[in-house]
Amino acid sequence: DSFVPVSLTPQVAGTGESISDFAVLRNRIYLAAQQEGLFVSADTGATWSHLLIDSVNPTFAVNTVNALDVWGDTLRAGTDSGLVFIVMDSLGTYTDQIHIPFAENDSTSRRIIRVRTQKYLHDTTQVVDSTFIWTCHDSATTAGRPMLARSFTDSLGDLQFYHYQVNSGIGSLS
């Protein structure tokens, strides 16, 4: 067992060389490189490809990726505009994408800096019977407020989020 350092170019890590998160889905490694976006490697990090979440508007805040989480065949990306579900096929190609934007105001913030899935197992069968998505938010502007959010499904079957205030003062969660 040895550690082999891999050098990431400024095109991957950005000029600030900031990688905020990573996730593994099947045989691919995904990097959240904040302003530089989302990158994928299918060869254990020898080469990297840039993936735009919104290729029509490459400068849109959804392409600033701060956090990653994997559930099944879905990559969940915390971005500067909210949460994005990216469904992948076995070859790593997008098959579907859903963007859940969050507002930026005195009770919420749109920049997601952490995404985690909490699963609940049935007491006797130990099969997953429900899951919650937790997101940690930091202000993207002075109008926003740090918060924690937890998913739930409303009576119409739509995914919604409860918002929990983190603090009463101005601050940062990063």
Side-chain angles (χ1 to χ4, degrees):
D1 294 352
S2 63
F3 177 75
V4 179
V6 175
S7 179
L8 297 175
T9 65
Q11 290 77 24
V12 175
T15 55
E17 299 179 0
S18 182
I19 303 296
S20 57
D21 206 353
F22 73 95
V24 176
L25 178 59
R26 293 189 185 86
N27 61 341
R28 290 174 175 72
I29 302 168
Y30 294 87
L31 287 181
Q34 297 175 346
Q35 294 87 348
E36 301 304 319
L38 180 62
F39 289 84
V40 62
S41 175
D43 56 12
T44 63
T47 59
W48 294 91
S49 298
H50 189 221
L51 300 175
L52 287 171
I53 294 173
D54 184 344
S55 58
V56 175
N57 301 300
T59 60
F60 189 52
V62 75
N63 287 315
T64 298
V65 181
N66 306 304
L68 297 171
D69 188 41
V70 171
W71 185 259
D73 61 355
T74 302
L75 182 67
R76 295 176 177 154
T79 74
D80 270 7
S81 69
L83 184 62
V84 179
F85 295 81
I86 304 168
V87 182
M88 304 280 195
D89 67 13
S90 62
L91 300 175
T93 305
Y94 291 14
T95 59
D96 195 13
Q97 180 176 301
I98 300 166
H99 179 224
I100 301 172
F102 283 82
E104 184 82 5
N105 58 45
D106 64 355
S107 63
T108 67
S109 54
R110 67 177 185 242
R111 176 180 289 148
I112 296 177
I113 60 172
R114 296 286 180 270
V115 180
R116 294 295 179 260
T117 303
Q118 180 182 20
K119 64 181 178 179
Y120 289 93
L121 302 177
H122 187 275
D123 290 339
T124 56
T125 65
Q126 294 301 300
V127 173
V128 175
D129 68 5
S130 60
T131 59
F132 292 110
I133 302 164
W134 288 88
T135 56
C136 185
H137 300 242
D138 202 0
S139 303
T141 68
T142 56
R145 183 159 175 199
M147 68 171 203
L148 185 68
R150 181 181 63 88
S151 67
F152 70 96
T153 304
D154 67 16
S155 61
L156 299 176
D158 295 327
L159 187 65
Q160 302 291 327
F161 284 84
Y162 291 115
H163 297 193
Y164 303 96
Q165 295 305 311
V166 175
N167 63 21
S168 58
I170 298 174
S172 173
L173 294 174
S174 359

